[in-house]
Amino acid sequence: MSFVQLLIDATALGALLALVAMGIALVFGVMRLVNFAYGELITVGAYTLVLTKGWPIVLRVLAAFVVVIASSLLMEVIFRPLRRATAATMLVATFALSFLLQNMFLFIFGPQGETIEFLAPLNRAIEIGDLRIRWITIIAIALGAVLLGFMSWLLGKTSVGLQMRAAAADFTTARILGVRAGRVIMLAFVLSGFLAAAVTLVLAVQRPLATPNYGFVVLVPALVGVVVGGLGKLVPATLGGFAIGFATVVLGDLLPSGSRVFLNSVLFAIVIIVLLVRPDGLFTGRTGVAERV
Amino acid sequence: MRRKIWWLAVLVAFALVATACGSTDDTTTTTGAAAAATTTTTTVPETTTTQAPEPAGPIIIGAAVDLTSDMSFFDGPAIAAAQIKIDEINAAGGVGGRQLELRTIDTELDPDQTQAAAIELIEGGAEVLLVTCDVDFATPAITEGINAGILTVASCIGTDQMGPNRFGDAGRLAFSLGNVAQDEGAAMAEFAFDKGKTKAVLVTDNLLVYFQDVIEAFKVRWLELGGEIVAEESFTSFDGTIESVVTAVDGADADIIAVSSAFADLPSTFTTSLRALGNDTTIICSWACDGASWVPEGLNDFYYVTFASLFGDDPDPLVNELAEGVASAAGFTGTGGFVTGASAIEAIVAAIEETGGTVGSELATAFEGFDGLPTISGSISFSADQHTVFGREYRVITITDGTNTFNSLWVATSPAEIR
């Protein structure tokens, strides 16, 4: 494989994990909640596409967005009583919800998987010399850039964004100053669900078999990316997600075929070294001080 | 910094747990659990020298299997097939005048429940034990079965781990009706070579030893036949690198791609992505690719070997009839592996008839002597060294335009030597 082709493949996975990381970071920034059940929102989206096979594409996309955002709001309702709980309590609660949902998918749909059959031609590639760039890779990168830009604008230039940043900086003080905290948190979950639905659509093209752990397998590396990039900070966390995906593919190529079973070991070793050197995150700037969200 | 490290520790621990949960495979004995299993089962159970009086009741076959979790896809249909075969045998008068009785306990793949189920079944009078279709998940039950001195049988474990290779001397009592990977990979290579293919790409999924062994066996037999290996790629299911594997495979000048995996990355994502790039190279897979649930629309030129055709066109009418019965009883057939439940019962009955009783060590000797025993899943053979089936007639299934159809029968000349 040529070096440039390797970079293209690495960018494809990086873009996908960046989108996942963005959704996780958004909720963490406002609520200090590391949502391990976020991957199940993606799985819900995948099964929605399975159940709407035969519908017009536009309606399937719409259904995926509606169901995933509604599921995200439902999660907000479930986590609402835990707002004042410790971080560890909330973390365990999200673990529990994640495993509960995965087992529900297993019970309802079985372990063997269901074909999604969603825009498979987007896996075709543009050929430039020896290079092949899939349409879905281009779409994932463009989508990531557009959504990151949109989120940055929303948080930085709008009043609702200002309220979210205020709540993220000091939740109690923000409430005293009139910020409607419940609405801010709900909006964070809506945006987070929107991002999960977007990830679902990209993933459904690339990985066309819905299984009970469909979203979970992209959640764990994205979460690591969020920590590496900068926990709770939108842009650094997103870049962290991208970096983990990019590094995974590059390392996979660098390791000899017989040694690729050690890919995750090598990756996590690098992650630990990075955090020892840059404990506040790889992309948070020299001082390590950055505004949450 | 401390908070960062705390979060990282949580994530790493979670990833390790997830990896362990995902490794539902026939792993080697280097893991703690496997090593423990080997250690605890090296004592050969004592057998009495005086013949115990023949029990008058039914011969109880206990089944500690998964009917609700990930392995239920395999165990459910196999147990349904076993029950159908038992009903047939009982209707014909039973075995030596005794009826067969199948007692099943759902382990839900929980190790503690698996062990408890085996103990309950053995204490309840089980004279033969059936276990789940994965040697790691089955180990707590296998250990109880072989330490109790009873024949312990899995319907479809596909590695050479079900027997002395993993469980030491006491493992003489453990057998699997699955096809050993060395035989399956050899059959795939011989079939592809017979089709005129000469240049192969090998894609290994490191997640399961079964997957690795199949491809290694393919490689060994392929080279013995004079074939050329033009590229070897590997990955681990769920590691996120399947797209770069596709890119590498697409760049290889091959006329056959050998694969073995059963998860979303491969075959589903792999075939979808490869074909989208315009690569129409023939792909051959092991039993791992059996079933219609993963097949993308319009897939062509894809072959896999399996135990039985699920699609109503198996060359043996009895298999088609059994498939209907299993679908009715279990709600689904899953893969062609369902027939191994029935053939396990046939093999157990043949051994009981040969030895005149249910003494574990004697049944094991009978099993080791099976050489082409005819069963509904084809002719099966075991040996003192190989306690997983070899020499069976594989059903080669072709996928054309997204549809599975029976292609032909194929028998490997011999298992490939991979270790």
Side-chain angles (χ1 to χ4, degrees):
Chain A
M1 190 190 311
S2 75
F3 181 68
V4 179
Q5 185 67 58
L6 174 66
L7 296 184
I8 292 167
D9 287 347
T11 303
L13 185 61
L16 181 76
L17 295 187
L19 282 169
V20 181
M22 206 188 305
I24 297 166
L26 200 63
V27 169
F28 182 86
V30 175
M31 207 178 159
R32 293 233 155 208
L33 174 76
V34 175
N35 187 4
F36 269 87
Y38 188 74
E40 279 54 63
L41 291 178
I42 297 167
T43 310
V44 164
Y47 280 122
T48 302
L49 291 174
V50 168
L51 294 172
T52 55
K53 269 192 278 192
W55 290 20
I57 290 295
V58 175
L59 288 182
R60 293 180 77 188
V61 170
L62 200 61
F65 272 104
V66 169
V67 173
V68 173
I69 291 171
S71 302
S72 186
L73 281 171
L74 190 60
M75 278 189 187
E76 192 275 322
V77 173
I78 292 168
F79 294 138
R80 196 174 292 168
L82 300 173
R83 280 183 194 171
R84 295 184 187 283
T86 63
T89 302
M90 288 199 287
L91 188 69
V92 170
T94 66
F95 275 146
L97 184 61
S98 172
F99 286 120
L100 173 70
L101 289 172
Q102 284 187 53
N103 279 287
M104 279 176 61
F105 300 140
L106 184 66
F107 180 75
I108 296 167
F109 296 101
Q112 73 274 23
E114 303 272 352
T115 54
I116 300 173
E117 293 171 18
F118 180 73
L119 295 175
L122 291 178
N123 279 303
R124 290 180 189 149
I126 304 168
E127 295 192 23
I128 306 170
D130 291 338
L131 299 179
R132 291 182 161 194
I133 310 172
R134 295 169 197 276
W135 283 107
I136 192 61
T137 301
I138 296 168
I139 290 169
I141 294 167
L143 195 62
V146 167
L147 289 176
L148 185 59
F150 172 72
M151 291 298 167
S152 298
W153 170 80
L154 187 78
L155 295 171
K157 304 289 183 187
T158 65
S159 66
V160 75
L162 180 66
Q163 289 181 42
M164 286 180 78
R165 285 187 291 131
D170 188 334
F171 195 77
T172 307
T173 306
R175 290 188 76 168
I176 293 168
L177 292 173
V179 171
R180 295 173 67 181
R183 214 175 69 171
V184 165
I185 289 174
M186 195 176 286
L187 179 65
F189 271 88
V190 168
L191 293 173
S192 176
F194 181 86
L195 290 169
V199 170
T200 300
L201 299 181
V202 173
L203 207 56
V205 175
Q206 293 179 330
R207 305 179 188 185
L209 191 72
T211 53
N213 67 349
Y214 189 77
F216 181 78
V217 297
V218 293
L219 175 92
V220 173
L223 270 173
V224 173
V226 168
V227 175
V228 167
L231 192 61
K233 305 169 187 77
L234 190 67
V235 174
T238 305
L239 292 175
F242 181 87
I244 285 293
F246 193 90
T248 298
V249 174
V250 171
L251 278 173
D253 187 73
L254 291 176
L255 288 171
S257 180
S259 303
R260 284 184 197 158
V261 69
F262 302 112
L263 174 61
N264 280 336
S265 307
V266 175
L267 189 67
F268 276 105
I270 293 171
V271 165
I272 289 168
I273 291 167
V274 166
L275 283 179
L276 287 173
V277 176
R278 299 294 301 267
D280 287 311
L282 198 55
F283 303 111
T284 49
R286 279 272 166 222
T287 62
V289 178
E291 189 178 27
R292 287 171 55 200
V293 185
Chain B
M1 163 120 180
R2 283 168 57 193
R3 181 176 296 151
K4 288 278 180 185
I5 297 298
W6 186 83
W7 281 117
L8 180 68
V10 170
L11 287 172
V12 170
F14 194 75
L16 290 173
V17 169
T19 304
C21 290
S23 298
T24 60
D25 61 317
D26 310 337
T27 53
T28 63
T29 55
T30 53
T31 62
T38 307
T39 307
T40 55
T41 57
T42 49
T43 307
V44 179
E46 292 181 11
T47 53
T48 55
T49 50
T50 54
Q51 188 70 40
E54 193 69 27
I59 297 171
I60 298 169
I61 298 174
V65 293
D66 171 34
L67 299 177
T68 49
S69 192
D70 288 345
M71 294 305 293
S72 63
F73 188 61
F74 305 99
D75 287 352
I79 286 298
Q83 185 62 63
I84 290 169
K85 181 55 67 178
I86 285 171
D87 292 343
E88 283 175 19
I89 292 167
N90 285 341
V95 184
R98 294 175 68 190
Q99 295 281 290
L100 297 176
E101 181 183 333
L102 183 64
R103 290 184 187 171
T104 303
I105 296 179
D106 182 6
T107 66
E108 299 177 18
L109 281 192
D110 178 83
D112 293 334
Q113 289 189 58
T114 302
Q115 184 179 30
I119 292 170
E120 185 179 334
L121 289 164
I122 293 165
E123 289 180 347
E127 293 168 75
V128 177
L129 190 64
L130 298 180
V131 296
T132 198
C133 228
D134 177 278
V135 75
D136 284 334
F137 284 126
T139 288
I142 296 168
T143 304
E144 293 301 327
I146 60 182
N147 280 340
I150 65 174
L151 186 73
T152 302
V153 178
S155 61
C156 61
I157 288 172
T159 65
D160 56 11
Q161 298 295 295
M162 190 62 180
N165 284 348
R166 175 160 178 158
F167 297 100
D169 291 343
R172 260 206 81 225
L173 301 175
F175 292 84
S176 171
L177 271 290
N179 295 308
V180 73
Q182 288 91 325
D183 195 66
E184 199 170 345
M188 289 162 58
E190 291 174 13
F191 176 81
F193 199 78
D194 185 70
K195 290 288 175 194
K197 310 297 182 186
T198 56
K199 295 187 288 186
V201 174
L202 311 182
V203 181
T204 303
D205 180 355
N206 295 312
L207 190 68
L208 305 188
V209 170
Y210 164 66
F211 298 157
Q212 293 173 311
D213 283 358
V214 165
I215 297 303
E216 186 60 25
F218 182 99
K219 180 182 179 180
V220 168
R221 183 53 44 85
W222 189 253
L223 294 174
E224 287 172 356
L225 292 167
E228 181 187 355
I229 307 287
V230 296
E232 291 185 64
E233 289 295 323
S234 78
F235 72 108
T236 305
S237 272
F238 313 119
D239 72 0
T241 63
I242 190 65
E243 292 292 343
S244 52
V245 169
V246 169
T247 304
V249 169
D250 184 46
D253 178 25
D255 56 19
I256 185 81
I257 301 166
V259 300
S260 181
S261 184
F263 298 101
D265 280 351
L266 197 164
S268 176
T269 300
F270 179 83
T271 53
T272 302
S273 295
L274 191 72
R275 293 299 191 240
L277 292 177
N279 187 315
D280 296 324
T281 307
T282 303
I283 303 171
I284 190 162
C285 186
S286 64
W287 170 55
C289 295
D290 194 0
S293 62
W294 67 269
V295 179
E297 275 183 315
L299 179 63
N300 281 305
D301 216 2
F302 190 101
Y303 296 81
Y304 62 87
V305 297
T306 183
F307 300 89
S309 173
L310 295 173
F311 311 102
D313 58 354
D314 194 277
D316 185 347
L318 292 177
V319 170
N320 294 323
E321 189 181 323
L322 181 62
E324 287 178 16
V326 168
S328 173
F332 64 101
T333 44
T335 74
F338 73 87
V339 288
T340 59
S343 59
I345 299 300
E346 290 177 306
I348 291 164
V349 167
I352 293 172
E353 287 176 339
E354 185 178 321
T355 63
T358 58
V359 177
S361 58
E362 294 176 8
L363 293 178
T365 301
F367 261 64
E368 288 177 343
F370 287 154
D371 183 9
L373 177 76
T375 71
I376 193 166
S377 70
S379 306
I380 61 170
S381 301
F382 296 104
S383 69
D385 297 327
Q386 191 51 270
H387 281 210
T388 305
V389 167
F390 56 91
R392 187 184 256 136
E393 299 92 344
Y394 292 93
R395 271 67 170 171
V396 182
I397 307 293
T398 312
I399 301 177
T400 305
D401 199 21
T403 303
N404 292 261
T405 49
F406 171 78
N407 177 287
S408 57
L409 292 172
W410 193 268
V411 183
T413 52
S414 65
E417 294 287 337
I418 63 170
R419 13 179 179 267

